[in-house]
Amino acid sequence: MNVVDRTIVVVGLGESGRAASAFLARRGARVIATDMRRDEDFAREREAVDALRALGVRVVLGAHPPELLRTADAIVVSPGVPPTLPVLEDARRAGVPILGEVELAARFLRGWLIGITGTNGKTTVTAWIGDLLTRCGYCAHVGGNIGRALVRVVEEVHDARCFVVAELSSFQLEMAETLRPRVAVVTNIAPDHLDRHGSLEAYIAAKRRIFRNQTEADWAVLNADDPVVRAMVEATRARVLFFGRQEASTSEVECGVFLRDDRLVLRWAGEEWELAHRADVPLRGAHNIENALAALAATLAGVSLAREAEALPALAEALPLRDALRAFPGVEHRLEWVARIAGVDYYNDSKATNVASTLRALEALEGPLVLILGGRDKGDDFTRLRPLVVEKVAHVLVIGEAAEKIRAALEGVVPLTRCATLEEAVRRARRLAPAGGTVLLSPACASFDMFENFEHRGRVFKEAVRRMLEEEMTPEGRSDAC
């Protein structure tokens, strides 16, 4: 893609938009970056926006001027900007090419791309694959929806023998055209982002675009336990490697990475090779067994590309997968233990932005729990929380825009209190949680009503917990924290 002396408008100045703007400017494009937010809304990002201006980027705040978009040579849209905006539709009718930041990155990408999508687990699986590959001696760069824009990763990768491991959201995939993951992983599917996509079917269709450009030389790594994902075998021309932890769904599958009793095994042509033991998985919860299986399967598939299609059983015996699996430190903001104060454990699960993800956190932890829920509703059904809330939760604290909807969904099931801020919820949780209990932030909602993103929300939670820890500390340092 030639961008030299081309006028390119970047719509949206979040992390992806800023990265795309800088990427294009450094390659000789005339870049105009627009955002509906006004100058005063960029207090936290002032330095980043000033750096764009220093690169020659023209920054337009408070609007996406239609004339700028209609007369551009191309438009790059940030993932958080709906592609159906009227100004984008107008530019599309004028014949202006429109692509997403991930699609822009795909056109400059070198190396083997491993793409991970799904509703839950994709951040952990993405980080885990990158970690496994590195510990097995391969060059691996991690980015995408995991927090580093893919164009930033592309700028770092100069060797075609490197792996690029990218978390890919439905927002990013819905605008993918030439993107070709050599290994495409789908973790699971549950209702999510219905406020953006309009229906579950449209959401699933966006996820299926990960297979759009795969060939018979590529791999698709699919969750055999999830009926929707399993059916995606029809959407790809790639070789399929399944993963799963349920005997009922995997017993007849010929090729995959599965849980058998307490062993994580590769099954290939009817034979099995042990990769690791359940005790080697360092993260809590049955869902993290599933994440480990997906990461192992994708790593084997990826290394087979690097070794020119060496058989997976040979790789299973040659690679130090067991030791590499044990060493994974986990992902910040995903069921992350923060501290123990007066016998109560505090967990940060801010990455849980939908009900299905919160259910996984509840399954992983023992009660009694004080659960902090709330944020911006994404069209989810909070009544699905009721059975596990009844079983494990002593009190629910709700925050944010969805507080009333959550209260209505859980009314009569558990004592519930509304709090004005997350800090207030943490303080109240301290008074409510019994010794031996757990305080869990697992919001089941997006963060954008009160925070910049889920990372910001998680940091605020951890800072509030650590302030309480400092208050609790004795001279001997009786309390613990990570």
Side-chain angles (χ1 to χ4, degrees), residues 140-213:
H141 297 256
V142 177
N145 196 55
I146 199 169
R148 292 187 70 241
L150 195 55
V151 289
R152 295 197 193 278
V153 177
V154 166
E155 288 191 296
E156 296 174 358
V157 179
H158 307 292
D159 188 343
R161 294 169 297 179
C162 282
F163 287 97
V164 175
V165 188
E167 178 182 332
L168 301 171
S169 71
S170 59
F171 294 0
Q172 293 168 321
L173 287 170
E174 68 182 346
M175 297 194 72
E177 296 294 336
T178 67
L179 182 80
R180 179 193 171 190
R182 299 301 309 277
V183 180
V185 183
V186 185
T187 58
N188 49 66
I189 295 292
D192 198 14
H193 297 301
L194 302 186
D195 55 334
R196 164 83 168 248
H197 294 291
S199 69
L200 181 58
E201 292 72 21
Y203 172 65
I204 294 170
K207 295 292 190 185
R208 277 200 303 264
R209 290 178 72 89
I210 197 170
F211 309 117
R212 179 184 177 93
N213 297 302

Side-chain angles (χ1 to χ4, degrees), residues 39-114:
D39 186 70
E40 57 268 23
D41 299 322
F42 281 87
R44 289 177 177 268
E45 299 153 291
R46 178 80 56 223
E47 187 175 329
V49 173
D50 288 344
L52 291 180
R53 291 189 172 109
L55 283 172
V57 176
R58 177 184 168 193
V59 177
V60 178
L61 301 179
H64 304 305
E67 187 59 29
L68 285 180
L69 274 65
R70 276 198 306 270
T71 57
D73 292 311
I75 297 169
V76 176
V77 181
S78 299
V81 177
T84 53
L85 278 183
V87 289
L88 293 176
E89 296 284 9
D90 185 36
R92 199 174 279 115
R93 285 191 294 271
V96 180
I98 300 175
L99 55 155
E101 175 264 324
V102 160
E103 176 61 24
L104 173 69
R107 299 187 184 193
F108 291 88
L109 179 68
R110 301 188 70 191
W112 295 291
L113 176 63
I114 300 178

Side-chain angles (χ1 to χ4, degrees), residues 327-355:
F328 181 58
V331 177
E332 188 181 15
H333 309 299
R334 193 69 186 95
L335 211 56
E336 174 194 13
W337 182 80
V338 180
R340 177 173 294 137
I341 303 174
V344 175
D345 286 313
Y346 290 75
Y347 279 87
N348 166 31
D349 196 38
S350 182
K351 185 69 173 67
T353 61
N354 56 62
V355 167

Side-chain angles (χ1 to χ4, degrees), residues 381-402:
D381 178 9
F382 297 107
T383 63
R384 293 193 293 141
L385 294 169
R386 291 170 72 106
L388 278 176
V389 164
V390 168
E391 179 184 341
K392 294 188 173 186
V393 177
H395 203 106
V396 169
L397 302 170
V398 291
I399 60 173
E401 292 176 0

Side-chain angles (χ1 to χ4, degrees), residues 117-385:
T117 196
T119 302
N120 295 307
K122 56 186 181 292
T123 298
T124 298
V125 171
T126 300
W128 216 333
I129 294 168
D131 196 67
L132 286 171
L133 286 167
T134 300
R135 294 179 191 278
C136 287
Y138 290 89
C139 167
H141 297 256
V142 177
N145 196 55
I146 199 169
R148 292 187 70 241
L150 195 55
V151 289
R152 295 197 193 278
V153 177
V154 166
E155 288 191 296
E156 296 174 358
V157 179
H158 307 292
D159 188 343
R161 294 169 297 179
C162 282
F163 287 97
V164 175
V165 188
E167 178 182 332
L168 301 171
S169 71
S170 59
F171 294 0
Q172 293 168 321
L173 287 170
E174 68 182 346
M175 297 194 72
E177 296 294 336
T178 67
L179 182 80
R180 179 193 171 190
R182 299 301 309 277
V183 180
V185 183
V186 185
T187 58
N188 49 66
I189 295 292
D192 198 14
H193 297 301
L194 302 186
D195 55 334
R196 164 83 168 248
H197 294 291
S199 69
L200 181 58
E201 292 72 21
Y203 172 65
I204 294 170
K207 295 292 190 185
R208 277 200 303 264
R209 290 178 72 89
I210 197 170
F211 309 117
R212 179 184 177 93
N213 297 302
Q214 285 199 298
T215 73
E216 293 82 358
D218 302 325
W219 288 96
V221 176
L222 304 178
N223 188 344
D225 297 336
D226 186 310
V228 175
V229 176
R230 188 169 180 145
M232 288 181 179
V233 69
E234 304 297 331
T236 182
R237 291 176 290 164
R239 296 165 287 177
V240 175
L241 193 61
F242 285 102
F243 67 93
R245 58 186 172 91
Q246 298 175 12
E247 178 76 27
S249 56
T250 60
S251 59
E252 302 299 321
V253 180
E254 282 295 307
C255 299
V257 178
F258 306 123
L259 180 67
R260 287 292 168 264
D261 299 320
D262 285 328
R263 299 176 304 124
L264 282 66
V265 303
L266 167 69
R267 183 186 299 156
W268 190 260
E271 296 187 53
E272 291 186 353
W273 287 261
E274 183 172 326
L275 305 176
H277 193 273
R278 189 179 192 129
D280 296 317
V281 178
L283 306 184
R284 296 185 64 164
H287 65 289
N288 278 316
I289 300 296
E290 189 174 291
N291 291 337
L293 294 167
L296 287 167
T299 299
L300 286 168
V303 173
S304 77
L305 298 173
R307 295 198 181 184
E308 298 182 350
E310 186 173 337
L312 298 195
L315 296 179
E317 294 181 343
L319 296 174
L321 293 173
R322 187 188 301 267
D323 289 342
L325 194 72
R326 287 177 182 154
F328 181 58
V331 177
E332 188 181 15
H333 309 299
R334 193 69 186 95
L335 211 56
E336 174 194 13
W337 182 80
V338 180
R340 177 173 294 137
I341 303 174
V344 175
D345 286 313
Y346 290 75
Y347 279 87
N348 166 31
D349 196 38
S350 182
K351 185 69 173 67
T353 61
N354 56 62
V355 167
S357 191
T358 297
L359 287 171
R360 289 180 168 223
L362 291 174
E363 288 168 353
L365 297 176
E366 298 299 322
L369 300 169
V370 176
L371 175 62
I372 303 174
L373 293 171
R376 177 162 292 170
D377 179 28
K378 294 157 66 178
D380 222 330
D381 178 9
F382 297 107
T383 63
R384 293 193 293 141
L385 294 169

